Amino acid sequence: AQRVTQPEKLLSVFKGAPVELKCNYSYSGSPELFWYVQYSRQRLQLLLRHISRESIKGFTADLNKGETSFHLKKPFAQEEDSAMYYCALRVDTGFQKLVFGTGTRLLVSP
Amino acid sequence: EPEVTQTPSHQVTQMGQEVILRCVPISNHLYFYWYRQILGQKVEFLVSFYNNEISEKSEIFDDQFSVERPDGSNFTLKIRSTKLEDSAMYFCASSGGKGGSPLHFGNGTRLTVT
């Protein structure tokens, strides 16, 4: 069965500190992983996807198939990074059927 | 930038009543989705819709649920006879293409069933 696990409900750091939001997945097919972000009172927005191998707002994430992980990292957290972060796995049905993790709330304090 | 819009933002209904949640996807998008999030739980896929028919649905999407694209712009989710456990945030999403295109989500409708 497909599953995405985000072990931390809350991650609290100080501004300027490194951040790592953990995501592990379970899927027998070829995984496609995403990170979505939801800022306060706003919609879910795509932050990045592993196939793009890009850095958005200083965040990066590398797919590690051996460890079945897709951790989200940023070297220096900013206050405006405070939000809810969801890791998601696209199930290979050809459509955007996403399996989400439970989310991690990142709180960056000044 | 074009956005997916959902109305209402909050709907309160009594158990057993029918509700219709409305969504206006991005105009040139072809693929439409409904997801829901029960408070404190994960976002869950409900249904995908393409070419005026359901392309995939989850176990949650039983006979009490239906979707429709009544005209060229709206995409609706109907719950025929609401149950307490239907209380959740319902997100509409759309994408321009199939698997490779990113999803654009609406702000959600919070459904409260009393």
Side-chain angles (χ1 to χ4, degrees):
Chain A
Q2 313 97 6
R3 188 170 59 247
V4 174
T5 303
Q6 292 180 253
E8 303 136 329
K9 284 192 175 180
L10 172 66
L11 184 63
S12 186
V13 301
F14 288 107
K15 177 182 170 182
V19 167
E20 183 179 49
L21 295 133
K22 292 186 171 22
C23 171
N24 287 88
Y25 67 91
S26 172
Y27 182 50
S28 56
S30 182
E32 187 176 349
L33 278 298
F34 304 81
W35 276 99
Y36 279 82
V37 61
Q38 188 174 33
Y39 300 103
S40 179
R41 302 183 193 284
Q42 294 187 28
R43 66 195 64 216
L44 279 164
Q45 302 172 38
L46 178 65
L47 181 61
L48 53 78
R49 50 199 297 197
H50 90 269
I51 61 173
S52 301
R53 299 187 65 80
E54 59 197 344
S55 173
I56 305 291
K57 300 185 180 183
F59 285 97
T60 59
D62 290 316
L63 178 62
N64 185 323
K65 290 187 178 180
E67 296 183 358
T68 60
S69 68
F70 188 57
H71 303 326
L72 184 68
K73 300 177 184 178
K74 184 169 183 176
F76 308 103
Q78 303 299 313
E79 288 179 69
E80 54 266 29
D81 295 329
S82 295
M84 198 73 181
Y85 290 80
Y86 294 95
C87 183
L89 164 72
R90 186 173 80 86
V91 175
D92 191 20
T93 64
F95 295 91
Q96 284 280 14
K97 180 182 176 182
L98 297 177
V99 175
F100 282 85
T102 48
T104 298
R105 180 168 299 282
L106 174 65
L107 184 59
V108 183
S109 304
Chain B
E1 186 177 331
E3 292 182 340
V4 175
T5 56
Q6 289 185 245
T7 54
S9 56
H10 191 189
Q11 171 103 39
V12 181
T13 189
Q14 287 191 323
M15 197 167 54
Q17 295 297 304
E18 174 184 286
V19 293
I20 297 177
L21 309 183
R22 302 182 190 280
C23 169
V24 179
I26 293 173
S27 62
N28 62 347
H29 281 184
L30 301 175
Y31 299 83
F32 314 112
Y33 306 83
W34 283 100
Y35 283 78
R36 81 169 186 191
Q37 184 177 31
I38 295 172
L39 188 64
Q41 298 186 25
K42 60 181 67 179
V43 176
E44 300 172 292
F45 170 82
L46 290 179
V47 66
S48 59
F49 190 87
Y50 169 70
N51 201 24
N52 281 322
E53 59 183 23
I54 291 173
S55 45
E56 189 170 0
K57 59 183 180 179
S58 71
E59 294 173 352
I60 304 167
F61 195 90
D62 62 21
D63 292 345
Q64 293 299 311
F65 290 87
S66 62
V67 289
E68 196 176 34
R69 189 154 161 82
D71 52 43
S73 59
N74 290 285
F75 179 51
T76 61
L77 174 69
K78 178 166 43 177
I79 308 175
R80 198 182 350 261
S81 177
T82 50
K83 303 188 283 286
L84 293 176
E85 53 265 37
D86 294 328
S87 295
M89 188 72 125
Y90 288 81
F91 294 104
C92 175
S94 69
S95 69
K98 230 179 181 184
S101 301
L103 282 182
H104 295 257
F105 282 89
N107 271 337
T109 293
R110 179 165 297 287
L111 176 65
T112 302
V113 182
T114 61

